[in-house]
Amino acid sequence: MMNVTTSQSNSEIWRELYVAALFETDREKMPSRIADAEQAIVARARELFSAGNDTIEEDQALDDALYALRALQSCLHIQSAAA
């Protein structure tokens, strides 16, 4: 995962990794894309929590993104079990 130094960059990074995971078409790469996005989302959530600012919109976006990634991951597991 990339290391960045500014809050704005961290905000952009999690979004980029999230979109990359959602639109990955190679089944072999999907688990690592999902894991990278989840790590970036959790790191950003911790950063926002530590900052103590009013970040309700981004907090909600992070929660929604984690939910979507976990749903995607669940679908992958169901499909591989059926194969």
Side-chain angles (χ1 to χ4, degrees):
M1 191 165 113
M2 300 175 164
N3 286 330
V4 289
T5 57
T6 66
S7 295
Q8 183 62 32
S9 294
N10 287 337
S11 178
E12 293 169 9
I13 293 296
W14 81 258
R15 291 173 196 273
E16 289 172 12
L17 292 172
Y18 170 64
V19 170
L22 288 181
F23 290 100
E24 180 59 63
T25 57
D26 184 340
R27 286 200 173 284
E28 298 296 318
K29 294 180 183 177
M30 287 179 91
S32 65
R33 293 267 192 195
I34 292 170
D36 289 346
E38 285 179 338
Q39 286 179 332
I41 290 167
V42 169
R44 180 62 176 158
R46 286 183 181 148
E47 179 181 338
L48 292 175
F49 181 77
S50 296
N53 297 333
D54 181 22
T55 57
I56 291 173
E57 292 86 10
E58 190 171 2
D59 288 338
Q60 186 62 51
L62 291 165
D63 287 343
D64 292 346
L66 274 178
Y67 181 83
L69 289 173
R70 291 189 177 140
L72 177 60
Q73 192 170 40
S74 178
C75 289
L76 288 175
H77 289 299
I78 290 170
Q79 288 177 352
S80 28

